[in-house]
Amino acid sequence: MAAERVVIIGGGFAGINAAKALGNKKFDVWLVDKTNHHLFQPLLYQVASAALSPADIAVPIREILAPYDNITVIMGDVTEIDKKKRMIIFGNGDTLEYDYLIVAVGARHSYFGKPEWEKDAPGLKTLVDALKIRERILISFEKAERTDSISEARKFLNFVIIGGGPTGVEMAGAIAEIAYETLLKNFRRIDPKLTKIYLVEGSPHILPVYPPKLSKRAQKYLEYFGVKVITGKRVTNVTHDAVYIEGDCIEARNIIWAAGNQAASVLKTLDVPLDRQGRVMVGHDLTIPDHPEVFVIGDAACSMDPKNIPYPGLAPVAVQQGRYVAELLIKGFVHKEKRPRFKYFDKGTMATIGKTKAIGTFGKVQFYGFFAWLAWCFVHILYLIGFRNRLIVLMQWLFAYYTSERGARLVNRSIEEELVKPKHH
Amino acid sequence: MAAERVVIIGGGFAGINAAKALGNKKFDVWLVDKTNHHLFQPLLYQVASAALSPADIAVPIREILAPYDNITVIMGDVTEIDKKKRMIIFGNGDTLEYDYLIVAVGARHSYFGKPEWEKDAPGLKTLVDALKIRERILISFEKAERTDSISEARKFLNFVIIGGGPTGVEMAGAIAEIAYETLLKNFRRIDPKLTKIYLVEGSPHILPVYPPKLSKRAQKYLEYFGVKVITGKRVTNVTHDAVYIEGDCIEARNIIWAAGNQAASVLKTLDVPLDRQGRVMVGHDLTIPDHPEVFVIGDAACSMDPKNIPYPGLAPVAVQQGRYVAELLIKGFVHKEKRPRFKYFDKGTMATIGKTKAIGTFGKVQFYGFFAWLAWCFVHILYLIGFRNRLIVLMQWLFAYYTSERGARLVNRSIEEELVKPKHH
């Protein structure tokens, strides 16, 4: 009898951990991803802020899974899932049949019904996103240096980050470091210290999932680094060179979106109930209704804890869900009527604000400051895949700590096309 | 009296060395470049072959020149030089006047009058070029793995490199390492060992500027690594999936151009005699006729040695030319009728073929093999700008030496658009 085929869509934290757990077991496993790499998303903001290179936080999926002979890795864009015929369909019409399907396709940004904001306020989910934002930040200082118009230069030196979750907070802190430390002696015609950085959050506190005490501490850190924090106000419009906030207007050529998530659109083809963010409402065993062979995990799923509160969209949740599904398959629970329920074990969370400043929780313990920052560095190095990546990231951080330089300040785009010829006053 | 203004166009080896030598001297120096970084071009093939990240071999120009208060760095695309008005003109119409001009704009590829070949056979001059080639190489193996058609897979596993100079030889050796070592256990449906790599050179020997003994040695090394070397034959046509070589045809989806140079087109606006490669025929002091204040250096210039043979387009020539022009300015020779002649001091050259194999000359001494390879590694690490870059490149090389892994195997492009839906036979 041929081995049953498990198809996994997505090589993020959820998918890659399901695959690894199924490695060298009696299944014919296929992992499909749009790109060829697994991305360590918690450090993506460091690529966007020119501290790390893309390759430092991304490892080829086939390299990670090379030790497992039963796993075939395929690069491809899945556009449809046919749950009746038990197969997935690729962009070019290719098909792949499965006995079990694990959908771990992740999320993109949501612009709250204003997709036209995306071009002016790019979000941060993939390496391509990160490189686009990096280029925008760096080229903005270049434009400010080149223009003869002081009012134009001001706009290029204004940064607005929309969304006060971990990504927004980390980006704001990183941009502050670039402007106020890294670039200090690099310009002759402008003073990077004139840079203004705004972080806008709709709810009353930044980092709203943290205890209020830590949220306030994080805000103090940001303000210490020079970031202006605006809370409790909604963004009403985004244009090419301004952000409108309930009447107020901030002129800026650098707008970064870190506000909302929208699960991948291929989930719609499953034809099952989705939540407001487009995530699949999964059962206690992470399957969809009437199809116990189809699992949805990671940011693509809305799964409930025993108190019926949705689990947060965090890497550790995705990792544990991937391993849980693999376990169900390996132990044969998939053939039984009653399956054990998925439960998330919370080891705590952390967010860094800038050099030597971070906050975190560990069970009921709350901590912040230099110790929290060291713990953050340690944990992130530890979870990075690959010995080489760990060592190189560690080295980059040590350099950055002592010199405030950033290792990946590269711009390849032409500056001319966007530079308005200044009028001589 | 205000300081005289020196404008340098180009931040490559020639431009950056002129600027550094003029640092903190009594000139108002402006350096203009299309990108924001100085590129260590001798290692660019390692970015194209996924061994290094772009940031490992590129440093922001303003970081290099930050210590010199008299130097302003401007990002911009110079489209015209007006030697009569003594000013340069940017793509958007901005202008910048000069007292002295140093043109160090480098070269692009030349397709010998067949520019239509470029899209199928990209060349390797910039980071963008290198990333494009890297993506092509990696995605080709992905396509071979995904397609169900054996004949299609074959085409994806054929590589043709056109041009047997140092870049072509180094690329061929690097692709052999990727196919026969790095990817070995990464695929399930194809065997990367079936990869075929062809290096095509029109003259009788590869590396024609080296002594014939070393050229033959290099060819033996390449053949040892599995590269098929074709010499003395001209490429007659390049298409989407084949290279035609005097009647013969090699089917391949991966074609890399490393054959010819063409100096940057802005040089035409100088309205002075150019050579066949579009380089400016400069005088013994590297100036253009009738304009002793305009210097052309590096790959943009055709400058003659005392025997009236053009100096080769090598990094050390560019470096020495940059320093020579700075010296003329600093010592006031520019105000004298008679200026000392530029002379290149040849410290020797080296080329690497693959792990542990290289060739080199040092005066009349010729050397090759493991010692030459160690010397190559040492010299390239030494000349890399920036302590951080040196250490990180060294680490990447040590890792690669022991594991045959490559640190930057990233693909971001979608695979669907180019994948022909296989017909089921």
Side-chain angles (χ1 to χ4, degrees):
Chain A
M1 198 183 86
E4 289 182 303
R5 182 182 288 167
V6 181
V7 171
I8 304 170
I9 316 178
F13 283 110
I16 207 89
N17 279 285
K20 279 168 80 176
L22 290 168
N24 293 337
K25 306 289 176 194
K26 286 191 175 162
F27 291 97
D28 172 29
V29 179
W30 289 61
L31 190 146
V32 181
D33 196 282
K34 265 188 223 183
T35 73
N36 78 329
H37 51 270
H38 169 70
L39 181 65
F40 191 73
Q41 216 143 6
L43 292 182
L44 190 59
Y45 82 97
Q46 296 219 351
V47 173
S49 59
L52 294 177
S53 280
D56 297 342
I57 61 160
V59 182
I61 293 170
R62 34 179 96 260
E63 190 65 37
I64 300 173
L65 301 177
Y68 312 114
D69 284 338
N70 67 323
I71 305 183
T72 305
V73 178
I74 285 287
M75 205 179 138
D77 192 3
V78 177
T79 51
E80 199 186 327
I81 298 166
D82 189 331
K83 63 184 176 185
K84 289 197 185 103
K85 290 190 187 155
R86 295 196 176 187
M87 68 182 193
I88 62 171
I89 303 162
F90 292 89
N92 73 337
D94 281 356
T95 58
L96 182 61
E97 294 178 1
Y98 61 80
D99 296 302
Y100 298 100
L101 180 67
I102 303 176
V103 183
V105 289
R108 290 284 306 165
H109 322 285
S110 148
Y111 287 84
F112 307 134
K114 305 272 188 186
E116 66 272 21
W117 292 356
E118 182 161 16
K119 67 175 194 312
D120 297 317
L124 185 58
K125 285 279 177 202
T126 67
L127 282 179
V128 173
D129 295 341
L131 293 177
K132 216 178 281 173
I133 290 177
R134 177 179 87 180
E135 193 145 69
R136 265 193 182 223
I137 294 172
L138 296 175
I139 215 167
S140 205
F141 286 100
E142 296 294 337
K143 286 175 185 164
E145 176 84 341
R146 203 176 127 185
T147 183
D148 291 329
S149 148
I150 294 168
S151 64
E152 274 294 301
R154 280 273 156 81
K155 284 189 197 174
F156 288 128
L157 295 178
N158 280 2
F159 291 77
V160 180
I161 296 120
I162 303 170
T167 302
V169 167
E170 286 163 350
M171 274 310 295
I175 294 173
E177 197 182 320
I178 294 177
Y180 305 136
E181 293 191 43
T182 311
L183 298 182
L184 225 47
K185 287 184 180 165
N186 275 221
F187 294 88
R188 301 287 174 266
R189 293 159 48 100
I190 55 162
D191 182 356
K193 278 190 185 156
L194 297 177
T195 302
K196 285 189 185 142
I197 303 156
Y198 300 88
L199 179 69
V200 185
E201 164 63 37
S203 56
H205 297 292
I206 59 165
L207 298 172
V209 298
Y210 282 83
K213 192 184 125 196
L214 288 183
S215 291
K216 278 178 203 152
R217 176 64 55 173
Q219 179 164 347
K220 268 194 195 135
Y221 286 156
L222 278 174
E223 285 161 357
Y224 167 83
F225 287 123
V227 176
K228 284 155 207 24
V229 180
I230 301 169
T231 53
K233 292 208 173 171
R234 278 183 324 110
V235 169
T236 51
N237 197 14
V238 175
T239 70
H240 174 55
D241 55 4
V243 175
Y244 294 85
I245 305 163
E246 295 188 16
D248 276 351
C249 166
I250 306 173
E251 289 198 316
R253 288 293 183 86
N254 292 282
I255 307 164
I256 296 169
W257 189 263
N261 275 343
Q262 182 70 36
S265 59
V266 68
L267 296 170
K268 289 178 198 149
T269 68
L270 275 172
D271 196 22
V272 291
L274 308 177
D275 75 354
R276 266 200 338 157
Q277 293 174 42
R279 299 182 301 180
V280 173
M281 308 286 296
V282 292
H284 295 338
D285 61 351
L286 310 181
T287 58
I288 62 171
D290 305 324
H291 285 270
E293 77 285 3
V294 178
F295 300 86
V296 184
I297 59 178
D299 283 353
C302 176
S303 91
M304 298 293 181
D305 73 8
K307 292 178 189 159
N308 229 26
I309 298 166
Y311 285 123
L314 295 173
V317 176
V319 170
Q320 292 178 29
Q321 288 180 334
R323 290 180 186 154
Y324 161 85
V325 173
E327 197 86 336
L328 288 188
L329 287 163
I330 293 162
K331 296 207 171 144
F333 282 114
V334 283
H335 300 301
K336 292 177 186 163
E337 190 71 12
K338 211 166 159 64
R339 303 172 176 188
R341 175 194 187 115
F342 169 73
K343 272 188 205 133
Y344 168 56
F345 175 65
D346 185 358
K347 295 184 209 161
T349 48
M350 286 190 273
T352 185
I353 291 95
K355 211 189 264 188
T356 77
K357 310 277 189 228
I359 61 166
T361 62
F362 180 72
K364 301 224 159 168
V365 184
Q366 303 175 8
F367 53 102
Y368 56 84
F370 183 69
F371 166 74
W373 180 74
L374 271 189
W376 181 93
C377 291
F378 177 75
V379 166
H380 283 78
I381 288 282
L382 200 72
Y383 279 99
L384 247 190
I385 282 185
F387 179 60
R388 179 213 305 259
N389 298 59
R390 280 179 204 158
L391 216 62
I392 285 182
V393 169
L394 184 62
M395 262 183 51
Q396 300 271 24
W397 286 357
L398 287 174
F399 273 115
Y401 182 81
Y402 285 106
T403 65
S404 287
E405 279 179 27
R406 301 182 89 81
R409 276 168 51 196
L410 304 183
V411 178
N412 292 305
R413 192 152 53 108
S414 161
I415 194 172
E416 304 301 328
E417 55 201 46
E418 295 139 358
L419 207 71
V420 184
K421 169 128 183 60
K423 289 160 197 76
H424 293 280
H425 310 280
Chain B
M1 199 182 85
E4 290 181 302
R5 181 182 289 168
V6 181
V7 171
I8 304 170
I9 317 177
F13 283 111
I16 207 88
N17 278 285
K20 279 167 80 175
L22 290 167
N24 294 337
K25 306 289 178 193
K26 286 192 175 162
F27 291 97
D28 172 29
V29 179
W30 290 60
L31 189 145
V32 181
D33 195 282
K34 265 188 222 183
T35 73
N36 77 330
H37 51 270
H38 169 70
L39 181 65
F40 192 72
Q41 214 142 5
L43 292 182
L44 190 59
Y45 83 97
Q46 298 219 349
V47 173
S49 59
L52 294 177
S53 281
D56 297 341
I57 61 160
V59 183
I61 293 169
R62 37 179 95 260
E63 189 66 37
I64 299 173
L65 301 178
Y68 312 115
D69 284 338
N70 67 323
I71 305 182
T72 304
V73 178
I74 286 287
M75 205 179 138
D77 193 2
V78 177
T79 50
E80 199 186 326
I81 299 165
D82 189 331
K83 63 184 177 184
K84 290 198 184 101
K85 290 190 186 156
R86 295 197 176 186
M87 69 183 193
I88 62 172
I89 303 162
F90 292 88
N92 74 336
D94 281 357
T95 57
L96 182 63
E97 294 178 2
Y98 62 79
D99 296 303
Y100 298 100
L101 180 67
I102 304 176
V103 183
V105 289
R108 289 286 305 166
H109 322 285
S110 147
Y111 287 84
F112 307 134
K114 306 270 187 187
E116 65 274 20
W117 293 355
E118 181 159 16
K119 69 176 191 313
D120 296 316
L124 185 59
K125 286 279 178 201
T126 66
L127 282 180
V128 173
D129 294 341
L131 292 177
K132 216 178 282 174
I133 289 177
R134 179 179 86 181
E135 194 145 68
R136 266 193 180 222
I137 294 172
L138 297 174
I139 215 167
S140 205
F141 286 100
E142 296 294 335
K143 287 176 185 164
E145 176 84 342
R146 204 177 126 183
T147 183
D148 291 328
S149 148
I150 294 168
S151 64
E152 273 293 301
R154 279 275 156 81
K155 283 189 196 173
F156 288 128
L157 294 178
N158 281 2
F159 291 77
V160 181
I161 296 118
I162 303 170
T167 301
V169 167
E170 286 162 350
M171 273 310 295
I175 294 172
E177 197 181 320
I178 294 177
Y180 305 137
E181 293 191 44
T182 311
L183 297 182
L184 225 46
K185 288 187 179 161
N186 275 220
F187 293 89
R188 301 287 174 266
R189 298 162 45 116
I190 56 163
D191 181 356
K193 277 189 185 158
L194 297 177
T195 303
K196 285 190 184 140
I197 304 156
Y198 301 88
L199 179 69
V200 185
E201 165 63 39
S203 56
H205 298 293
I206 60 165
L207 298 172
V209 298
Y210 282 84
K213 192 184 124 198
L214 289 182
S215 292
K216 278 177 202 152
R217 176 64 56 175
Q219 179 163 347
K220 269 195 194 133
Y221 287 156
L222 279 175
E223 284 161 356
Y224 167 82
F225 287 123
V227 176
K228 284 154 205 29
V229 180
I230 300 169
T231 54
K233 291 206 172 172
R234 276 183 325 111
V235 168
T236 52
N237 198 14
V238 174
T239 70
H240 175 54
D241 56 3
V243 176
Y244 294 84
I245 304 163
E246 294 188 16
D248 277 350
C249 167
I250 306 172
E251 288 198 317
R253 287 293 182 86
N254 292 281
I255 308 165
I256 296 170
W257 189 263
N261 275 341
Q262 181 70 36
S265 60
V266 68
L267 296 170
K268 289 177 197 151
T269 68
L270 275 172
D271 196 21
V272 291
L274 308 177
D275 74 355
R276 266 199 339 156
Q277 293 174 43
R279 299 182 300 181
V280 173
M281 308 287 294
V282 292
H284 296 337
D285 61 351
L286 310 181
T287 57
I288 61 172
D290 304 324
H291 284 270
E293 78 285 3
V294 178
F295 299 86
V296 185
I297 59 178
D299 283 354
C302 176
S303 91
M304 297 295 182
D305 73 8
K307 292 176 187 159
N308 228 29
I309 298 166
Y311 285 121
L314 295 173
V317 176
V319 170
Q320 292 179 29
Q321 287 180 334
R323 290 180 186 153
Y324 162 85
V325 173
E327 197 85 335
L328 288 188
L329 288 163
I330 293 163
K331 296 207 171 146
F333 281 114
V334 283
H335 300 300
K336 293 177 185 163
E337 190 70 15
K338 213 167 160 59
R339 302 173 178 189
R341 172 191 191 119
F342 169 73
K343 271 187 207 134
Y344 169 55
F345 175 65
D346 184 359
K347 294 183 208 162
T349 47
M350 286 190 274
T352 185
I353 291 93
K355 210 189 264 187
T356 75
K357 310 277 190 228
I359 62 166
T361 62
F362 180 73
K364 302 226 157 166
V365 184
Q366 302 176 8
F367 53 103
Y368 56 85
F370 183 68
F371 167 74
W373 180 74
L374 271 189
W376 181 92
C377 291
F378 177 75
V379 166
H380 282 79
I381 288 282
L382 199 73
Y383 278 99
L384 247 190
I385 282 186
F387 180 60
R388 179 213 306 257
N389 299 58
R390 279 178 205 160
L391 216 61
I392 285 181
V393 168
L394 184 62
M395 264 184 49
Q396 300 271 24
W397 286 356
L398 287 174
F399 273 116
Y401 182 80
Y402 285 105
T403 64
S404 287
E405 280 178 27
R406 300 183 89 81
R409 275 167 52 197
L410 303 183
V411 178
N412 293 305
R413 194 152 50 110
S414 161
I415 193 171
E416 304 301 328
E417 54 200 49
E418 296 140 358
L419 207 71
V420 185
K421 169 129 183 57
K423 288 160 197 76
H424 293 280
H425 310 281

